[in-house]
Amino acid sequence: MANKVIISCAVTGAIHTPSMSPHLPITPEEIARSSIEAAEAGAAIIHLHARDPQTGEPTPDPAVFMRFLPVIKQSTDAVVNITTGGGLNMTLDDRLAAPLIAKPEMCSLNMGSMNFNISRAGDRVTHWKHPWEQPYLERTDNFIFRNTFKDIEGIVERLGKAHGTRFEFECYDVGHLYNLAYCLDRKIVEPPLFVQTIFGILGGIGAEPRNLLFMKETADRLFGDAYVWSTLAAGRHQLAFTTMAGINGGHVRVGLEDSLYIGRGRLARSNAEQVAKIRRILEELSLEIATPDEARALLKLKGGDRVGF
Ligand code: KMH
Ligand code: ZN
């Protein structure tokens, strides 16, 4: 078990927009199908956002989440992980609306306020399908992704303490590891901490290989054996960083939320294609893939029968 690798798959997110790829899942049916395929390909954890079925704009509407969550639960035993980061225009109450109803085994928890600049993400788009997309992206040069200590503690109270939800702690820079260490010292959060180190978001730490080791070494010092390490990287860095994390004993996250590509200049046709690729690489390196129940045991999750959907 110690060496098994948990593959998380983030199937749609709130960064990419419909005009960037025809393969980005948008409707509840597409999100459910893509999640099920990713689980069948080897993902133990499915990280989920919702989108307006007509326009593809990220939505916090619990009714939309409830159109795909039960379908995923009935068709796979993957761990369902719901975002609390939401989309770029959402208040904290918006961001918590669906998680508070769904009470999932796991939610993301972003470990600090930061710039989150994706204003150039649409540079290659020549035809915009929907009017919301371009302003949504371009305004992020003036956007602060708000995650104060009070916000973080509130999410832990309302979801973790109240419903037994555990967290994917999103750490986009080294300071976020120290924020999490503060929360651990104060007993706001409980081990084992599932720490997602994130590389290549403009506003966070850059996607340089030495930074991966720097983040891991810092997390080792701060958390010792109280944490479980996973890594994601944005865009073209996705595969190299997840491979490096696997080699260094980490778990990995892929999916179209983090990158739309499967290779240089080639759009991924599905989330499952990315899961299958990192799985192939890890298995070639003699690493084994964790099942959902092995992930549950490692992360001390409450179980798929104790959720609200
Ligand atoms: N979009 C990723 C870089 C969240 O959903 O809370 C991080 C993320 C945030 O998944
Ligand atoms: Zn997300």
Coordinates of all heavy atoms in Angstrom, one line a residue, residues 10 13-15 47-49 81-87 95 107-110 114 116 145 147 168 170-172 196 198-199 201 232-234 253 257-258, ligand 1:
A10 N -9.4 15.8 -12.2 CA -10.2 17.0 -12.1 C -10.9 17.3 -13.5 O -10.2 17.7 -14.4 CB -9.3 18.2 -11.7
G13 N -13.4 21.8 -13.9 CA -12.8 23.0 -13.3 C -13.6 24.3 -13.7 O -14.8 24.3 -14.1
A14 N -12.9 25.4 -13.5 CA -13.5 26.7 -13.7 C -12.5 27.6 -14.4 O -12.6 28.9 -14.4 CB -13.9 27.3 -12.4
I15 N -11.4 27.1 -15.0 CA -10.4 27.9 -15.6 C -10.5 27.9 -17.1 O -10.5 28.9 -17.8 CB -9.0 27.3 -15.2 CG1 -8.7 27.5 -13.7 CG2 -7.9 28.0 -16.1 CD1 -7.4 27.0 -13.3
H47 N -12.4 15.0 -8.9 CA -12.6 16.4 -8.4 C -13.5 17.1 -9.3 O -13.3 17.2 -10.5 CB -11.2 17.1 -8.3 CG -11.3 18.6 -8.0 ND1 -11.3 19.1 -6.7 CD2 -11.3 19.6 -8.9 CE1 -11.3 20.4 -6.8 NE2 -11.3 20.8 -8.1
L48 N -14.6 17.7 -8.7 CA -15.7 18.2 -9.6 C -16.1 19.7 -9.3 O -16.1 20.2 -8.2 CB -16.9 17.4 -9.3 CG -16.8 15.9 -9.8 CD1 -17.8 15.0 -9.1 CD2 -17.1 15.9 -11.3
H49 N -16.3 20.4 -10.4 CA -17.0 21.7 -10.5 C -18.2 21.5 -11.3 O -18.4 20.4 -12.0 CB -16.1 22.7 -11.2 CG -14.9 23.1 -10.5 ND1 -14.6 24.4 -10.1 CD2 -13.8 22.3 -10.1 CE1 -13.4 24.4 -9.5 NE2 -12.9 23.2 -9.5
N81 N -14.9 14.3 -4.9 CA -14.2 15.5 -4.3 C -14.8 16.7 -4.9 O -14.7 16.9 -6.1 CB -12.7 15.4 -4.5 CG -11.9 16.6 -4.3 OD1 -12.4 17.7 -4.1 ND2 -10.6 16.5 -4.2
I82 N -15.5 17.6 -4.2 CA -16.2 18.7 -4.7 C -15.3 20.0 -4.4 O -14.8 20.1 -3.3 CB -17.6 18.9 -4.2 CG1 -18.4 17.6 -4.5 CG2 -18.3 20.1 -4.7 CD1 -19.9 17.7 -4.0
T83 N -15.2 20.9 -5.4 CA -14.5 22.1 -5.2 C -15.1 23.0 -4.1 O -16.4 23.1 -4.0 CB -14.4 22.9 -6.5 OG1 -13.7 24.1 -6.2 CG2 -15.8 23.3 -7.0
T84 N -14.3 23.7 -3.3 CA -14.8 24.8 -2.5 C -14.2 26.1 -3.1 O -14.4 27.2 -2.5 CB -14.5 24.7 -1.0 OG1 -13.1 24.8 -0.8 CG2 -15.1 23.5 -0.4
G85 N -13.4 26.0 -4.1 CA -12.8 27.1 -4.8 C -13.8 27.8 -5.7 O -13.8 29.0 -6.0
G86 N -14.6 26.9 -6.3 CA -15.7 27.4 -7.2 C -15.2 28.0 -8.5 O -14.3 27.5 -9.1
G87 N -15.8 29.1 -8.8 CA -15.4 29.8 -10.0 C -15.0 31.2 -9.6 O -15.2 31.7 -8.5
R95 N -19.7 29.3 -3.1 CA -18.7 28.2 -3.2 C -19.1 27.0 -2.3 O -18.7 25.9 -2.6 CB -17.3 28.7 -2.9 CG -16.7 29.7 -4.0 CD -15.6 30.6 -3.5 NE -14.5 29.9 -2.8 CZ -13.5 30.5 -2.3 NH1 -13.3 31.8 -2.4 NH2 -12.5 29.8 -1.7
C107 N -13.4 17.5 -0.1 CA -13.6 18.8 -0.8 C -12.2 19.4 -1.0 O -11.3 19.2 -0.1 CB -14.4 19.8 0.0 SG -16.2 19.6 -0.3
S108 N -12.0 20.3 -2.0 CA -10.8 21.1 -2.0 C -10.8 22.2 -1.0 O -11.9 22.6 -0.6 CB -10.6 21.7 -3.4 OG -11.6 22.6 -3.7
L109 N -9.7 22.6 -0.5 CA -9.6 23.7 0.4 C -8.3 24.5 0.1 O -7.2 24.0 0.2 CB -9.5 23.2 1.9 CG -9.5 24.2 3.0 CD1 -10.5 25.4 2.8 CD2 -9.8 23.6 4.3
N110 N -8.5 25.7 -0.5 CA -7.4 26.5 -1.0 C -6.8 27.3 0.2 O -7.4 28.0 0.9 CB -8.0 27.4 -2.1 CG -8.5 26.7 -3.3 OD1 -7.7 26.3 -4.2 ND2 -9.7 26.3 -3.3
M114 N -4.7 34.9 -3.0 CA -3.6 35.0 -4.0 C -4.1 35.7 -5.3 O -5.3 35.7 -5.6 CB -3.0 33.6 -4.4 CG -4.1 32.7 -5.0 SD -3.5 31.0 -5.2 CE -2.4 31.2 -6.6
F116 N -4.6 35.3 -9.1 CA -4.9 34.0 -9.9 C -5.2 34.5 -11.3 O -6.3 34.8 -11.7 CB -6.1 33.3 -9.3 CG -6.2 31.8 -9.6 CD1 -6.0 30.9 -8.7 CD2 -6.5 31.4 -10.9 CE1 -6.1 29.5 -9.0 CE2 -6.6 30.1 -11.3 CZ -6.4 29.1 -10.3
F145 N -8.1 35.8 -5.6 CA -8.7 34.6 -5.2 C -8.7 34.6 -3.6 O -7.6 34.4 -3.0 CB -8.0 33.4 -5.8 CG -8.6 32.0 -5.5 CD1 -10.0 31.9 -5.3 CD2 -7.8 30.9 -5.5 CE1 -10.5 30.6 -5.1 CE2 -8.3 29.6 -5.3 CZ -9.7 29.5 -5.1
N147 N -9.0 33.6 0.1 CA -9.1 32.4 1.0 C -8.3 32.9 2.3 O -7.2 32.5 2.5 CB -8.4 31.2 0.4 CG -9.0 30.8 -0.9 OD1 -10.1 30.2 -0.9 ND2 -8.4 31.0 -2.0
E168 N -8.7 18.2 0.3 CA -7.5 18.2 -0.6 C -7.0 19.7 -0.4 O -7.6 20.6 -0.9 CB -8.0 18.0 -2.1 CG -6.9 18.2 -3.1 CD -7.5 18.3 -4.5 OE1 -8.7 18.5 -4.7 OE2 -6.7 18.4 -5.5
E170 N -5.1 22.7 -1.2 CA -4.5 23.2 -2.4 C -3.4 24.2 -2.0 O -3.7 25.3 -1.5 CB -5.6 23.9 -3.3 CG -6.9 23.1 -3.5 CD -6.8 22.1 -4.6 OE1 -5.7 21.9 -5.2 OE2 -7.8 21.5 -4.9
C171 N -2.2 23.9 -2.3 CA -1.0 24.7 -1.9 C -0.3 25.2 -3.2 O 0.4 24.4 -3.8 CB -0.1 24.0 -1.0 SG -0.9 23.6 0.6
Y172 N -0.5 26.5 -3.6 CA 0.0 27.0 -4.8 C 1.4 27.7 -4.6 O 1.9 28.2 -5.6 CB -1.0 28.1 -5.4 CG -2.4 27.6 -5.6 CD1 -3.3 27.5 -4.6 CD2 -2.8 27.4 -6.9 CE1 -4.6 27.1 -4.8 CE2 -4.1 27.0 -7.1 CZ -5.0 26.8 -6.1 OH -6.3 26.5 -6.3
Q196 N -2.0 19.0 -1.8 CA -1.9 19.0 -3.3 C -0.9 20.2 -3.6 O -1.3 21.4 -3.4 CB -3.3 19.3 -3.9 CG -3.3 19.2 -5.4 CD -3.3 17.7 -5.9 OE1 -2.2 17.2 -6.3 NE2 -4.3 17.0 -5.7
I198 N 0.8 22.6 -6.1 CA 0.4 23.1 -7.4 C 1.4 24.0 -8.1 O 1.9 24.9 -7.4 CB -1.0 23.9 -7.3 CG1 -2.0 22.9 -6.7 CG2 -1.5 24.5 -8.6 CD1 -3.4 23.6 -6.3
F199 N 1.7 23.7 -9.3 CA 2.8 24.5 -10.0 C 2.3 25.1 -11.3 O 1.5 24.5 -12.0 CB 3.9 23.5 -10.3 CG 4.5 22.9 -9.1 CD1 3.9 21.7 -8.6 CD2 5.5 23.5 -8.4 CE1 4.4 21.2 -7.4 CE2 6.0 22.9 -7.2 CZ 5.4 21.8 -6.7
I201 N 0.6 28.1 -11.8 CA -0.5 29.1 -11.9 C 0.1 30.5 -11.7 O 1.0 30.7 -10.8 CB -1.5 28.9 -10.8 CG1 -2.3 27.6 -10.9 CG2 -2.5 30.1 -10.7 CD1 -3.3 27.5 -12.0
L232 N -0.1 18.6 -8.8 CA -0.7 18.9 -10.1 C 0.1 20.1 -10.7 O 0.7 20.8 -9.9 CB -2.2 19.2 -10.1 CG -2.6 20.6 -9.5 CD1 -2.7 21.7 -10.6 CD2 -4.0 20.5 -8.9
A233 N 0.1 20.1 -12.0 CA 0.7 21.3 -12.7 C -0.1 21.8 -13.8 O -0.8 20.9 -14.5 CB 2.1 21.0 -13.1
A234 N -0.1 23.1 -14.1 CA -1.0 23.7 -15.1 C -0.4 23.5 -16.5 O 0.8 23.5 -16.7 CB -1.2 25.1 -14.8
R253 N -2.4 14.3 -9.7 CA -3.7 14.8 -10.2 C -3.5 15.2 -11.7 O -2.6 16.0 -12.0 CB -4.2 15.9 -9.4 CG -5.6 16.5 -9.9 CD -6.2 17.5 -9.0 NE -6.5 18.7 -9.7 CZ -7.2 19.7 -9.2 NH1 -7.7 19.6 -7.9 NH2 -7.4 20.8 -9.9
E257 N -9.4 20.1 -16.1 CA -9.3 21.3 -15.3 C -7.9 21.9 -15.3 O -7.7 23.1 -15.3 CB -9.7 21.0 -13.8 CG -9.5 22.2 -12.9 CD -10.1 22.1 -11.5 OE1 -11.0 21.3 -11.3 OE2 -9.8 23.0 -10.7
D258 N -6.9 21.0 -15.3 CA -5.5 21.5 -15.1 C -4.8 21.6 -16.5 O -4.0 22.5 -16.6 CB -4.8 20.5 -14.2 CG -5.4 20.3 -12.9 OD1 -6.1 21.2 -12.4 OD2 -5.3 19.2 -12.3
Ligands
KMH1 N1 -7.9 24.8 -10.3 C1 -6.8 24.3 -9.6 C2 -5.5 24.9 -9.9 C3 -10.4 24.3 -6.4 O1 -11.2 23.7 -7.1 O2 -10.7 24.5 -5.2 C4 -7.1 24.2 -8.2 C5 -8.4 23.8 -7.7 C6 -9.1 24.7 -6.9 O3 -8.9 22.7 -8.0

